[in-house]
Amino acid sequence: MAPAAHAGPHDVDGFAMTSWEFREVRPGRADPFVVGASLGALHRALDGVPGLPWLTPATTQVTDALDVLEESGARPATEIAALRERHRAVLAELRGSAPVALLGDAHPGNLRRDDDGWFWVDLEETCTGPPEWDLAVAGGCDGVLAGYASVTGRVVDPASLGPFAAARDVEAAAWPAVMVLARPDTYAAAAQARIAQVLARVATGPGSAAAGRSSRPGPSRGSCS
């Protein structure tokens, strides 16, 4: 989806807002091969974009979220400490191939379709980092990896995605926990379940999450099937 002619950002009643082209979305989800191919096309299109931060969904977005939770007293201190330790552990395990410009939140629910074809939305987490991050978030199954390779020529080992999926799990726990502060009825149950899931994996090691099982809770979710 492309920015509108006067994209902004605009200050509207204290909120920073941007404007984007409107596209009439058709129903349906892309199959895994199309997800991978579309992700590869996006990585190629973003090649050379300057000034993008390094892997923010896995790094500062998590630390910022945990800081907010700590300052608000919304979660027990022992739980936040455990999440911080888990976060440090999974980041220490990340090993990826040559970095690219990433979508950042490449779960299949963010790939939409109109009469002109498939397009990605929700670029608020765009950053630079190993493609394994986007591929893990996208599902990481054989179809996604095959589609990605068909466009980029990069053959990615599925086993390399485990640590990235584990890092995504931590982000996917921290994000709804913060959202509870604004919308408790919507996010409280999801936050509790995600945090419990992440902390249950502490004893099994940072790379124990199965790749492709980490979509943020919310209106759009998807994984390889």
Side-chain angles (χ1 to χ4, degrees):
M1 187 183 300
H6 301 287
H10 307 285
D11 187 337
V12 181
D13 296 331
F15 292 92
M17 303 187 71
T18 55
S19 300
W20 299 78
E21 289 183 354
F22 176 77
R23 298 180 69 166
E24 189 72 47
V25 176
R26 295 170 56 185
R29 291 289 184 92
D31 66 46
F33 187 92
V34 171
V35 171
S38 299
L39 187 57
L42 181 68
H43 286 178
R44 293 183 66 178
L46 292 175
D47 185 41
V49 173
L52 295 175
W54 178 261
L55 204 57
T56 45
T59 58
T60 55
Q61 285 184 197
V62 175
T63 54
D64 288 351
L66 295 178
D67 287 347
V68 169
L69 293 173
E70 187 171 52
E71 292 167 8
S72 69
R75 307 295 304 189
T78 53
E79 182 180 87
I80 294 173
L83 288 170
R84 289 191 191 281
E85 180 57 34
R86 177 64 171 171
H87 187 219
R88 285 191 290 268
V90 297
L91 290 184
E93 292 293 315
L94 296 186
R95 303 286 188 274
S97 53
V100 298
L102 301 170
L103 174 62
D105 193 15
H107 70 81
N110 279 337
L111 184 61
R112 306 296 180 88
R113 179 176 59 169
D114 66 6
D115 290 339
D116 294 325
W118 296 99
F119 60 96
W120 289 99
V121 300
D122 201 8
L123 275 70
E124 65 185 40
E125 297 181 2
T126 302
C127 59
T128 299
E132 286 85 353
W133 170 264
D134 271 356
L135 290 167
V137 175
C141 64
D142 291 344
V144 168
L145 298 183
Y148 189 77
S150 74
V151 172
T152 65
R154 287 196 183 201
V155 177
V156 176
D157 181 1
S160 69
L161 302 184
F164 291 89
R168 171 67 169 187
D169 281 346
V170 177
E171 185 210 6
W175 180 79
V178 170
M179 290 299 294
V180 169
L181 301 177
R183 297 167 61 184
D185 292 344
T186 302
Y187 289 99
Q192 190 63 43
R194 288 284 183 174
I195 290 171
Q197 181 184 54
V198 168
L199 295 183
R201 290 185 175 130
V202 170
T204 59
S208 61
R213 302 304 178 191
S214 303
S215 298
R216 280 181 174 178
S220 297
R221 300 175 65 179
S223 63
C224 292
S225 59

